[in-house]
Amino acid sequence: MHEIVLIRISGDDKPGIMNSLTGILASYGVRILDIGQAVIHNTLSLGLIIEIPREQGSAPILKDLLFKAHEMGVGLTFEAVAPERHEQWVGAQGRRRHIVTLISREITSRQMERVSGVLTRHGLNIDFISRLSGRISLERPDAHPRACVELSVRGEPADIAAMRAEFMDISRELGVDIGLQEDNVYRRNRRLICFDMDSTLIQGEVIDELARRAGVVDRVSAITESAMRGELDFRQSLRERVSLLEGLDASVLSEVAESIPLTEGARRLIGTLKNLGYKIAILSGGFTYFGERLQRELGVDYVYANELEIVDGRLTGRVVGEIVDGARKAQLLQDIARRENIDLQQVVAVGDGANDLPMLNLAGLGIAFHAKPIVRRGARQAISTLGLDGILYLLGLRDREALD
């Protein structure tokens, strides 16, 4: 009968450990059934499950392994694994997996304690933990730090909605974004990202800035906030706000465009995704003038927004054509995906307002970005602690894989 042995190696990491130990196993014709390794701060943790051939005894193999480990200055322990225990472990494969992503300016022990407690209560087991963000220097702290760890968890949560609610409470209390996604092939194969524009790609609401120059900012801002909270029909609210801009000189559009900065992380996110072959779309309840400027600046593939009517160099207070509201954004997202032959599960949507919820819930990965409470509750994922490049972590990318 074959012997099954679990081997654990730990100690200071150095080149050649794997080669030396597996060289011994190879010389005895040992089969490796499983292998895993992690290195934290140059400290190695390596595990192997091996099957020793029927004609070989375990004693000489383990003796050689122990001698080599001592020679290399690492610790080695082993234990026999009963065949039924091994088969039980094999039988657990194929169970549903989820990825839990913690994103913040820093990851704290309290955050980890609270999140792992939720997982335990819902019957999920952590298999792997990976740090996606870069190493932290204490002597040269980053002006805009980013921190992210990714947990691969196994099991079937009885109430995933309750888990999300608990994670949302932790996010609010401890200042950490917590992503929860099923670990499937689509997560690693997104191909299209659709952005809202105002207060998402850019830091502010364009219509409020136009209203400021028209002297009607208080009236327009009140309507804007009500609409973004979902209290007003978007089409009606847009017409009301734009009507207040009647007579404004069209040259103001350029002034406003120059004054509103991009959101933190926007260039890094879009540059990285374009390098990976993503299609980029802006689906905005804002205005085409500003979306098209971003298109030229960032290399965006698609822009759909509302067109301000201009006659004799002045705004008429009307929009031209079909208004881009929440339902229209969702339809446009589907149209682009169909045109590009992209499954909806491969689509990412990002927005901050109530009129973004239809597209957020339609996309495979919908992200409420620095959003109103109603939007965070309605979306499956949310980022409120970092800039737009925090989305790269939800896609499973490490800092070293992103463009600087």
Side-chain angles (χ1 to χ4, degrees):
M1 186 175 182
H2 292 203
E3 288 186 74
I4 303 170
V5 179
L6 169 62
I7 299 172
R8 302 185 185 93
I9 300 100
S10 61
D12 292 341
D13 187 35
K14 63 190 73 173
I17 293 176
M18 177 72 73
N19 179 255
S20 297
L21 296 178
T22 54
I24 293 170
L25 298 178
S27 69
Y28 285 98
V30 168
R31 181 183 177 192
I32 296 176
L33 302 177
D34 194 22
I35 186 168
Q37 175 176 304
V39 177
I40 299 178
H41 218 273
N42 294 326
T43 299
L44 170 71
S45 177
L46 168 63
L48 303 97
I49 296 178
I50 63 172
E51 177 192 24
I52 297 175
R54 184 176 286 106
E55 62 274 12
Q56 296 282 2
S58 61
I61 300 173
L62 297 177
K63 177 183 175 182
D64 286 355
L65 288 172
L66 286 167
F67 180 81
K68 178 58 69 174
H70 177 75
E71 186 180 87
M72 293 184 295
V74 296
L76 187 148
T77 62
F78 57 85
E79 65 174 283
V81 177
E84 58 272 17
R85 179 183 163 200
H86 176 73
E87 290 306 310
Q88 187 178 42
W89 171 78
V90 171
Q93 70 183 341
R95 293 183 67 188
R96 192 176 181 187
R97 288 182 176 275
H98 287 83
I99 297 295
V100 178
T101 312
L102 278 68
I103 303 171
S104 187
R105 295 295 178 183
E106 64 174 3
I107 300 300
T108 70
S109 55
R110 177 61 66 193
Q111 294 164 357
M112 289 296 298
E113 184 266 338
R114 292 283 299 279
V115 169
S116 60
V118 171
L119 296 174
T120 300
R121 287 193 298 277
H122 287 269
L124 297 175
N125 188 62
I126 301 171
D127 281 343
F128 310 106
I129 301 177
S130 301
R131 172 176 48 81
L132 302 187
S133 50
R135 296 176 180 177
I136 299 170
S137 171
L138 299 180
E139 294 184 358
R140 298 181 303 278
D142 196 319
H144 300 284
R146 297 183 297 264
C148 176
V149 293
E150 181 182 274
L151 287 64
S152 175
V153 301
R154 172 172 35 89
E156 297 283 349
D159 190 342
I160 199 163
M163 276 186 62
R164 290 187 188 279
E166 290 184 60
F167 284 154
M168 187 173 292
D169 289 342
I170 296 170
S171 296
R172 185 175 57 253
E173 294 169 22
L174 300 182
V176 58
D177 298 317
I178 306 168
L180 175 64
Q181 305 175 64
E182 185 175 352
D183 189 10
N184 56 33
V185 66
Y186 293 115
R187 178 177 175 269
R188 299 180 295 276
N189 192 28
R190 313 287 188 195
R191 292 176 54 201
L192 166 66
I193 185 165
C194 299
F195 293 98
D196 175 43
M197 181 170 62
D198 294 30
S199 297
T200 300
L201 267 181
I202 57 176
Q203 297 180 43
E205 295 288 329
V206 165
I207 196 166
D208 289 348
E209 295 306 314
L210 293 174
R212 197 180 312 282
R213 286 158 175 81
V216 293
V217 65
D218 291 340
R219 295 165 66 187
V220 166
S221 293
I223 300 172
T224 298
E225 285 300 312
S226 184
M228 296 299 280
R229 290 193 300 266
E231 297 169 356
L232 288 178
D233 171 76
F234 181 81
R235 290 172 180 254
Q236 178 186 359
S237 70
L238 181 67
R239 290 191 180 98
E240 289 182 11
R241 288 176 289 169
V242 171
S243 70
L244 296 172
L245 304 178
E246 182 180 358
L248 185 64
D249 194 303
S251 64
V252 170
L253 300 180
S254 178
E255 295 174 16
V256 169
E258 293 292 338
S259 69
I260 300 180
L262 286 172
T263 298
E264 177 193 346
R267 290 187 190 278
R268 183 171 182 260
L269 171 64
I270 291 177
T272 299
L273 295 186
K274 284 184 67 65
N275 194 51
L276 293 173
Y278 274 63
K279 293 295 182 179
I280 314 293
I282 293 174
L283 308 180
S284 174
F287 304 116
T288 53
Y289 178 89
F290 302 91
E292 289 168 358
R293 282 181 65 113
L294 291 174
Q295 182 175 33
R296 294 189 294 271
E297 182 177 351
L298 299 174
V300 172
D301 298 289
Y302 296 93
V303 172
Y304 292 95
N306 299 301
E307 184 177 353
L308 291 167
E309 185 179 63
I310 300 173
V311 176
D312 296 330
R314 293 189 177 275
L315 275 61
T316 66
R318 294 186 295 270
V319 293
V320 178
E322 184 175 359
I323 289 177
V324 178
D325 61 357
R328 179 69 175 146
K329 289 185 180 187
Q331 184 59 56
L332 289 166
L333 182 149
Q334 293 180 82
D335 291 346
I336 296 170
R338 190 179 303 113
R339 190 179 312 165
E340 297 288 346
N341 195 29
I342 294 172
D343 190 284
L344 289 178
Q345 287 297 315
Q346 296 175 282
V347 179
V348 183
V350 189
D352 74 303
N355 65 325
D356 295 313
L357 279 173
M359 74 170 182
L360 298 187
N361 290 323
L362 186 65
L365 178 61
I367 304 167
F369 180 74
H370 289 260
K372 316 299 186 290
I374 188 175
V375 184
R376 290 200 301 272
R377 289 193 297 269
R380 292 188 297 275
Q381 314 295 338
I383 290 182
S384 299
T385 60
L386 298 188
L388 277 173
D389 52 349
I391 291 170
L392 295 171
Y393 295 138
L394 291 178
L395 299 174
L397 272 70
R398 300 175 184 277
D399 275 355
R400 66 173 180 265
E401 296 167 327
L403 297 180
D404 291 328

